[in-house]
Amino acid sequence: KEDLKLLVGSQIKYGSITLDLKSCFYKKPDFIKDALALIRIKYTSRDIPEYMGWLSSNQAYLTNYGNYRYRFWLLNCIIESQE
């Protein structure tokens, strides 16, 4: 288990995949329990995304990403302009 931090508009390579955070929102005042993030996940060896969609911290059981090797879910969003 490892927590990763991504900035909106940035990419991070993790193992054989690349994570790209497109957008992140949360509902005040509970930014930990009620956050949404638009994320793209792709294998570095392929041109087409493996996953492109929304992740929710509130409904992780519906929106998390998982395959045989990786499992991702959203913990929270921290947005300076919303604080």
Side-chain angles (χ1 to χ4, degrees):
K1 179 183 170 185
E2 186 175 345
D3 293 348
L4 303 172
K5 273 190 178 180
L6 277 86
L7 300 174
V8 172
S10 69
Q11 294 181 352
I12 188 170
K13 186 176 176 185
Y14 184 78
S16 61
I17 63 169
T18 301
L19 301 163
D20 183 6
L21 181 61
K22 300 292 189 184
S23 296
C24 199
F25 305 97
Y26 66 83
K27 194 176 200 180
K28 286 184 177 179
D30 201 356
F31 70 94
I32 292 177
K33 291 183 182 174
D34 203 4
L36 285 170
L38 179 60
I39 192 163
R40 181 179 69 168
I41 300 171
K42 73 175 207 162
Y43 283 95
T44 53
S45 60
R46 300 181 193 163
D47 289 334
I48 49 177
E50 172 77 14
Y51 176 83
M52 176 78 169
W54 292 95
L55 298 180
S56 169
S57 62
N58 191 20
Q59 297 177 332
Y61 58 92
L62 295 175
T63 62
N64 68 343
Y65 169 80
N67 69 11
Y68 71 96
R69 183 174 286 174
Y70 300 106
R71 189 168 307 270
F72 294 101
W73 55 90
L74 180 65
L75 297 177
N76 61 34
C77 287
I78 299 171
I79 303 170
E80 290 180 16
S81 63
Q82 290 185 345
E83 292 179 345

